[in-house]
Amino acid sequence: MVTESMQFPHRRYNPLKREWVLVSPHRTARPWQGEVNASSGFSDVHYDPACYLCPGNTRAGGNVTPKYESVFIFDNDYAALLPDSPKPEREDAPELLRAERERGRCRVLCFHPDHSLTLARMETAEIRRVVDAWTEEFRTLGGAPECRYVQIFENRGAMMGASNPHPHCQIWGTYSIPQEPKKELAAQYAYFSNRNRCLLCDYVELERTHKVRVVAENARFLAVVPFWAMWPFETLICSRTHIGSMNEFTSEDSRQLSAMLKQVTGTYDKLFSAPFPYTMGFHQSPTDGVDHPEWHFHAHFYPPLLRSATVRKFMVGFEMLGTPQRDITPESAADRLRALAGG
Ligand SMILES: [Zn+2]
Ligand SMILES: [Zn+2]
Ligand SMILES: [Zn+2]
């Protein structure tokens, strides 16, 4: 429920992470300026001879990216994790100087041979091939003993530090469950244990009733600006039924997720008439050999843009030292996105 008093500064609770966000809507009382970039920033370069992800080009260490026609997957040439690494800890290490062994795998998945494409500009059928590749990688990596969690993520745009504009994502399998999903695992587990209900199933039902934060919906997925969003135009995509991971996807789930990804990324590009930068990724149930009935499949989009293609939000100052803060309310962000999502 959004009340009048929510036009004043208040805190909102993020039940997925069990953290708070400060909302200060009065700071945006000024009318919308509607800034738009003159140069769109969309690329027309279909093949870049200097791009190591374009078909036929040579990568670091002399590996050649083959002349692929659909998707292409390979082990990251600069992997942050290795399948095996020695234990760094010593028996006599002080408690305050703690290190632990970590293992895993880092894969790269090119979405398309065309250098200029983004998810938003790809056909739904082409995105479907990416979803199928994600599903396959999730299954394979998740089945490896050194991977007890699989993180699929995409960094889009130089603003997010993406080192290469070629459409691609990374897939890391880790032995430890990373911190963000670990917080969500604890929160979902506690909610499920106390109520015998799923946190995100309940949340999806609430958002479908309230409607004010819904951006788009199809037969299988719902996209909302979450009540507790930190980033101005953050979205959360949840499956409408209770599934834990892509392992449980039906063919229709894969098709509908592809359509939803195209709709959400296309909506973002329309917002400031520019290719929208973001970090996105899927949070799926751990692959640690234990059942996780509490875990609900979802994806987060964390885009940094605030007022135009060049004005971004920084998580600095109070946010770095205190707690995240936002000005425009999630409801007004959802209003604007929903108007552009257009069914
Ligand atoms: Zn390329
Ligand atoms: Zn659920
Ligand atoms: Zn999550």
Side-chain angles (χ1 to χ4, degrees), residues 43-84:
S43 168
D44 293 322
V45 179
H46 303 293
Y47 168 79
D48 176 356
C51 168
Y52 59 89
L53 298 180
C54 274
N57 294 351
T58 303
R59 304 201 306 276
N63 293 320
V64 175
T65 298
K67 295 200 167 161
Y68 62 102
E69 290 177 353
S70 167
V71 296
F72 170 57
I73 306 166
F74 61 98
D75 281 323
N76 196 323
D77 301 309
Y78 298 100
L81 291 157
L82 300 169
D84 202 11

Side-chain angles (χ1 to χ4, degrees), residues 16 184 236 283 295 298 300:
L16 253 188
E184 295 187 352
L236 174 73
H283 275 160
W295 193 281
H298 62 279
H300 298 279

